[in-house]
Amino acid sequence: MAVESKVIEHIRNVLETFDDKYILDGRIKKTKVIEDLDKYDHDLIQALLSDELIHNSYTEKIADVEVFKVNQFIEMLEFKKYWEDSYTKYSNKIGLTSGGKFIDESTDVVLDFPFKDTVLKAGMSKEDLENS
């Protein structure tokens, strides 16, 4: 039996009002929710913000305008799978990060060599072994 956080319970209650659009076999279709949030689906965002806990947790007032922190909300949904057996939001993944994301999740990664005008050759064949 998985234990859900209070926010996830509220999200589930909101998403259940959409019938089976966001819920399948009792589980939240995270990819569909994230996809619609990326598209700024008005019905979904309005339903989420109508919940007081979600509204208080994921909105911020800037220049007398309330802004929904979509990226923070999506991040919470992506890390939900680690909540069931962990006390942290971080995955059991070790690697290089840039800007808070793992390099393999980013498209802005460049392998840069300091001497671009040279050719590096490496390797050893049986002939190289015999000559040494």
Side-chain angles (χ1 to χ4, degrees):
M1 180 177 142
V3 177
E4 290 188 343
S5 71
K6 196 172 192 178
V7 173
I8 294 294
E9 288 177 15
H10 281 254
I11 293 169
R12 178 181 302 282
N13 291 338
V14 170
L15 296 178
E16 285 174 346
T17 63
F18 290 93
D19 296 322
D20 62 346
K21 184 176 182 180
Y22 298 114
I23 305 287
L24 177 67
D25 298 328
R27 301 187 81 188
I28 297 173
K29 296 183 195 176
K30 292 185 293 183
T31 53
K32 179 64 176 160
V33 174
I34 292 169
E35 180 182 303
D36 284 356
L37 285 171
D38 283 337
K39 294 178 186 175
Y40 293 100
D41 184 278
H42 294 282
D43 295 332
L44 175 60
I45 292 175
Q46 185 174 1
L48 289 170
L49 292 178
S50 67
D51 184 89
E52 186 178 354
L53 178 70
I54 297 170
H55 182 271
N56 292 340
S57 301
Y58 293 99
T59 60
E60 186 173 322
K61 197 164 199 163
I62 301 173
D64 294 329
V65 176
E66 284 192 346
V67 177
F68 181 46
K69 299 186 239 179
V70 176
N71 291 335
Q72 191 176 11
F73 188 82
I74 289 172
E75 184 178 278
M76 181 272 307
L77 285 176
E78 289 174 340
F79 287 119
K80 189 262 178 203
K81 63 184 172 184
Y82 302 109
W83 288 359
E84 295 176 1
D85 62 355
S86 178
Y87 292 105
T88 180
K89 74 173 188 173
Y90 300 103
S91 66
N92 296 331
K93 187 172 180 179
I94 297 172
L96 300 173
T97 62
S98 176
K101 293 190 175 204
F102 286 98
I103 288 179
D104 65 345
E105 297 170 354
S106 175
T107 58
D108 300 331
V109 178
V110 175
L111 182 59
D112 201 0
F113 291 96
F115 304 105
K116 293 179 173 86
D117 58 343
T118 62
V119 177
L120 298 175
K121 291 186 178 181
M124 186 172 273
S125 65
K126 289 183 180 181
E127 293 172 0
D128 293 333
L129 283 173
E130 293 169 3
N131 294 335
S132 52

